[in-house]
Amino acid sequence: MKYATFLHDGQQRSGVVTDDRIHPFAPGIGLLELIQAGESELRAAGDRALTGSGPLELGEIRLLPPLQPPTVRDFMTFEGHVAAVARGFGDTVPEEWYAQPAFYFTNPYAMIGAYDDVPVPPGCRRFDFELEVAAVIGRAGRDLSPEQAREHIIGYTILNDWSARDLQGPEMKVKLGPAKGKDTATTLGPWLVTADELDPHRDPEGFLDLELTVDVNGVTIGQDTLANMAWTFEEMVAYASRGTWVRPGDVLGSGTCGNGGCLAEHWGRAGTFEPPPLEPGDTVTITAQGLGTVSNTVVGGVAPLPIATARRRL
């Protein structure tokens, strides 16, 4: 099944998507709450929605993020992406990257819908997108094996990790990972596709062989397959659960795909800022086989308010 959250007549609702229609759940029933209640409750609510009152056309509604995740872990699992970005700094893929699937926690309050406008982050002049797919946790667990982890993934969705590259670079020199470089917006959508729908796309190693494409203003910038990940989502979930919990609604991003999954890859390979950084009016459209399409237009942001530099104590 495909599940979505949307706005209609000023009310937030969730429901089941079929073709170009959405069958709403009863008012007050949200997708995250159903995921937390368990997969059987989610499917039962979906079945009731399909036999309930008349559906809405997708053109009548505004799609919101499928859910507001409690946490978002964003991984970095495409070797081609890591190599291209590293090249821009005169570097190569570090050996440490191969040891385990690295991730960082990003802002769960920054989720935007599949067709919402995205503002330029305050002070940013090198705005970028990142083509990703995300897994959504459906059952709580900790210290999971990859085999166990498969039963804990309820489904998948598209993720666009919008990135302020000129803010991210200086932040990374502090060796704490990105902060304001990744803080303003993350697209999630257009809906949550349950894991069983994508099983026919699994290759012998367990990777989902889904075609990925990103366009800027109608021009294709990058193409890849999700099967080029270095770790499966099950392995990522298992690693994330070491010594801690993954819980229903948690989102785990694949990281940016290779072969042009973001502008920074092109910049790293070419040594120039071509294609140019995103500007207000640019539209970024991402399509993932079996998951749908998201398309966001960049709009102007706000100027940063001044904050003092550090008081030097040494």
Side-chain angles (χ1 to χ4, degrees):
M1 285 187 177
K2 297 180 177 69
Y3 298 96
T5 298
F6 62 95
L7 201 62
H8 181 253
D9 286 343
Q11 290 189 324
Q12 181 172 315
R13 303 280 297 275
S14 294
V16 180
V17 178
T18 59
D19 299 321
D20 293 326
R21 297 181 176 183
I22 187 161
H23 304 257
F25 298 145
I29 298 179
L31 183 54
L32 178 57
E33 290 74 23
L34 285 170
I35 292 172
Q36 292 170 334
E39 186 173 357
S40 60
E41 290 294 325
L42 176 61
R43 291 192 175 276
D47 291 338
R48 289 193 297 270
L50 289 171
T51 58
S53 57
L56 299 168
E57 301 291 332
L58 288 178
E60 299 179 59
I61 66 168
R62 173 191 162 201
L63 283 169
L64 302 174
L67 71 160
Q68 291 295 331
T71 67
V72 183
R73 296 171 176 87
D74 204 7
F75 284 74
M76 190 165 58
T77 68
F78 286 86
E79 187 178 13
H81 167 72
V82 180
V85 173
R87 182 175 177 180
F89 294 93
D91 209 345
T92 58
V93 181
E95 282 301 314
E96 290 81 1
W97 180 83
Y98 296 96
Q100 65 276 315
F103 70 89
Y104 74 98
F105 283 97
T106 191
N107 187 356
Y109 303 119
M111 303 298 109
I112 64 172
Y115 301 100
D116 289 344
D117 291 341
V118 56
V120 176
C124 172
R125 296 187 178 182
R126 292 181 190 164
F127 198 32
D128 197 359
F129 59 84
E130 292 194 352
L131 192 175
E132 304 189 29
V133 169
V136 179
I137 299 297
R139 289 171 49 192
R142 63 180 295 151
D143 294 309
L144 302 170
S145 69
E147 293 74 22
Q148 292 170 324
R150 179 167 294 189
E151 300 303 316
H152 290 256
I153 298 174
I154 189 70
Y156 299 88
T157 188
I158 295 173
L159 187 151
N160 184 348
D161 178 29
W162 299 92
S163 302
R165 300 300 184 193
D166 50 341
L167 306 184
Q168 180 185 0
E171 288 175 337
M172 300 297 286
K173 292 182 179 180
V174 184
K175 305 189 186 305
L176 279 179
K180 286 299 172 184
K182 301 276 194 172
D183 206 34
T184 294
T186 300
T187 302
L188 208 61
W191 31 69
L192 174 71
V193 179
T194 52
D196 60 298
E197 286 211 10
L198 298 179
D199 278 341
H201 297 280
R202 288 193 185 277
D203 70 11
E205 290 188 90
F207 291 97
L208 293 171
D209 191 4
L210 306 178
E211 295 180 4
L212 310 173
T213 305
V214 58
D215 296 349
V216 176
N217 300 329
V219 177
T220 299
I221 298 294
Q223 292 178 304
D224 203 354
T225 170
L226 196 61
N228 280 335
M229 294 166 63
W231 292 272
T232 66
F233 278 105
E234 290 80 6
E235 290 165 338
M236 292 155 56
V237 172
Y239 183 68
S241 75
R242 282 187 182 177
T244 190
W245 288 91
V246 291
R247 296 191 181 276
D250 286 355
V251 165
L252 289 79
S254 64
T256 313
C257 72
N259 197 35
C262 67
L263 296 174
E265 284 186 27
H266 292 276
W267 302 341
R269 291 191 186 98
T272 63
F273 292 112
E274 289 294 334
L278 299 173
E279 295 182 350
D282 288 339
T283 297
V284 177
T285 302
I286 289 174
T287 299
Q289 183 182 3
L291 295 175
T293 297
V294 299
S295 187
N296 303 98
T297 298
V298 178
V299 297
V302 300
L305 296 175
I307 295 177
T309 56
R311 282 75 167 173
R312 295 180 182 267
R313 306 300 189 190
L314 298 177

